[in-house]
């Protein structure tokens, strides 16, 4: 197994007494109450001297099994549950603290040890699609306003200009609090973070309070974890409570967003962008508001991107441009802009009068940043990333039905005779019900459908492809679409075939994996980057590649 890198830690924070930690966690430190603790880790491989090792039950093993390794690395104490204390007994030369709910206590313990983000404003974004791009947009806009920023997300973690590889959409809570403390210690002006449903369900953002929480949309995904859309919604809704946010901006283009805005227990500003989230129609029966607080209007194409107007309360008005393709990126840009605007207005002071007085100054500052820096044309790796120009060749992370549908609409050329060729698959050991839906979506939106492997994990790749293929074939025959459908087990071969079938006026969309550079098969990470394979195939057939494509591998 690959040895994980030690996440960055703050340098100048002080030690915390083990007794103080124990009291917070509902445990008893006994005679070791005065012991100094300087860090915390859930992973024995990233323990540093002075750490508290938190041993939690896992999917395959209990963390207590690795406690001896953690102690060898310098852990001065272990916090675990009843099962962990029974497993460890008296085997360790350090205190073992039994806790009724160590997972639930981890965030508060980490916040206590590392000290948190201080006064640094935090922006958190949740939703099914658009989290990554929206956080990049928030980060870019804040930089355009002159702030040094931090970013925690799927693709990378940035503390100022220092990139830190990211393995999870949201890291574990011990690492989150350490990262936020590092950012605060370095004097960063703000930080933005993707907040996944997994992060909320597993407590990875416990004891983090965002100054502004944003909601993009809710469509079918991760139902293997949440059991249904109602459970998925309820998990997302945890972000919009005082436990996790001071205020919120909620996109109300779909029924789930309208429900979120109505049920949130923090102050909410609503945003309407006119982009109805598409394939899941099982949302709650709730009418759209007559008038959202912020509204997108006069949207028009500008090259591959868009221009639009954004109207807000108290006469706020902004003219906005994004260079990224797709109407959904208008929604992402609008959400990022409103989140930052709402924080700037909140900084002006409490009360409606203070807000109204601040609107002209905030509007001027934001418009200048938009006009001078074009922050929403920032390169977001693996998100509508242009790899070739003739044919247009795009790699996107779209890995659920709604994201795939939107991506296919976004890349469709208005030129007569231009065809769309899509290469995609479905992830193994995840929500299997979306597989045939994605096959049907591909048939609806593309002219040539090439089904291949995504990340099979430990599941049979052929069975996954069969599920996707079933949906594609049924949609093709039932609606007499006449689409060309092909299947390849090797993803690189599928990408090569797509380019082989393409003409200079066509569009190729390689969907599902985005920025990822490894394909997991039976526990083995196989080197595979869709952008590299696509560029190689374009070169083989003599097609030009885009010059501005950012590829990490």
């Amino acid at each position: 197994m690959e040895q994980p890198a030690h996440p960055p830690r703050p340098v100048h924070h002080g030690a915390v007494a083990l007794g103080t930690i124990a009291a917070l966690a509902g445990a008893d430190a006994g005679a070791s109450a005065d012991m100094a603790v300087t860090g915390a880790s859930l992973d024995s491989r990233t323990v540093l001297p002075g750490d508290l090792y938190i041993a939690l039950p896992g999917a395959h093993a209990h963390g207590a099994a690795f406690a001896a390794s953690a102690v060898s690395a310098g852990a001065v104490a272990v916090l675990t549950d009843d099962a962990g204390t029974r497993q460890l007994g008296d085997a360790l030369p350090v205190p073992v603290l039994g806790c009724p709910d160590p997972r639930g206590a981890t965030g508060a313990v980490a916040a206590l040890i590392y000290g948190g983000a201080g006064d640094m404003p935090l922006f958190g974004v949740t939703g099914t699609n658009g989290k990554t791009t929206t956080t990049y947009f928030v980060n870019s806009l804040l930089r355009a306003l002159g702030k040094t920023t931090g970013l925690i997300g799927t693709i990378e973690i940035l503390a100022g200009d220092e990139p830190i590889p990211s393995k999870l959409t949201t890291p574990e809570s011990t690492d989150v609090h350490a990262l936020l403390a590092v950012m605060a210690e370095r004097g960063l002006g703000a930080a933005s973070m993707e907040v996944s449903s997994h992060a909320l369900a597993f407590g990875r953002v416990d004891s983090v309070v965002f100054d502004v929480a944003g909601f993009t949309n809710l469509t079918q995904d991760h139902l293997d974890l949440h059991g249904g859309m109602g459970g998925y919604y309820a998990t997302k809704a945890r972000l919009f409570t005082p436990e996790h946010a001071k205020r919120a901006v909620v996109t109300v283009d779909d029924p789930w967003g309208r429900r979120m805005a109505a049920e949130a227990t923090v102050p909410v500003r609503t945003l309407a962008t006119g982009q109805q989230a598409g394939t899941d129609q099982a949302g709650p029966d709730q009418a759209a508001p007559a008038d959202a607080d912020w509204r997108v209007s006069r949207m028009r194409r500008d090259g591959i991107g868009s221009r639009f107007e954004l109207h807000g309360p108290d006469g706020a008005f902004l003219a906005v441009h994004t260079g990224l393709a797709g109407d959904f990126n208008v929604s992402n840009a609008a959400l990022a802009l409103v989140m930052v605007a709402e924080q700037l207005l909140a900084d002006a002071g409490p009360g409606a009068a203070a807000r109204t007085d601040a609107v002209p100054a905030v509007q001027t500052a934001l418009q200048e940043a938009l006009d001078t820096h074009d922050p929403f044309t920032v390169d977001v790796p693996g998100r509508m990333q242009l790899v070739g120009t003739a044919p247009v060749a795009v790699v996107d992370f779209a890995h659920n039905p709604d994201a795939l549908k939107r991506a296919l609409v976004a890349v469709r050329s208005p030129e007569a005779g231009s065809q769309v060729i899509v290469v995609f698959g479905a992830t193994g050991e995840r929500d299997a019900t979306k597989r045939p839906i994605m096959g049907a979506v591909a048939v609806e939106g593309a002219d040539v459908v090439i089904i291949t492997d995504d990340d099979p994990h430990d599941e049979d790749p052929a069975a996954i492809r069969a599920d996707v293929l079933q949906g594609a074939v049924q949609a093709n025959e039932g609606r007499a679409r006449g689409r060309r459908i092909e299947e390849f087990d090797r993803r690189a071969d599928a990408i090569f075939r797509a380019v082989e079938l393409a003409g200079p006026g066509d569009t190729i969309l390689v969907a599902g994996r985005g920025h990822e550079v490894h394909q997991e098969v039976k526990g083995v990470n196989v080197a595979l980057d869709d952008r590299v394979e696509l560029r190689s195939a374009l070169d083989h057939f003599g097609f030009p590649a885009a010059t501005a494509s950012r590829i990490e591998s």
Side-chain angles (χ1 to χ4, degrees), residues 419-458:
Q419 65 175 354
V420 172
I421 304 168
V422 64
V423 177
F424 76 107
T427 310
E429 298 184 322
R430 300 295 187 269
D431 176 17
T433 64
K434 70 181 182 182
R435 295 172 186 172
I437 300 172
M438 291 179 68
V441 165
V443 164
E444 291 291 331
D447 303 285
V448 178
V449 175
I450 301 178
I451 297 166
T452 187
D453 293 343
D454 194 297
D455 283 326
H457 300 299
D458 288 330

Side-chain angles (χ1 to χ4, degrees), residues 87-103:
Q87 182 173 336
L88 291 172
D90 297 324
L92 297 179
V94 301
V96 176
L97 280 63
C99 172
D101 181 17
R103 166 65 76 178

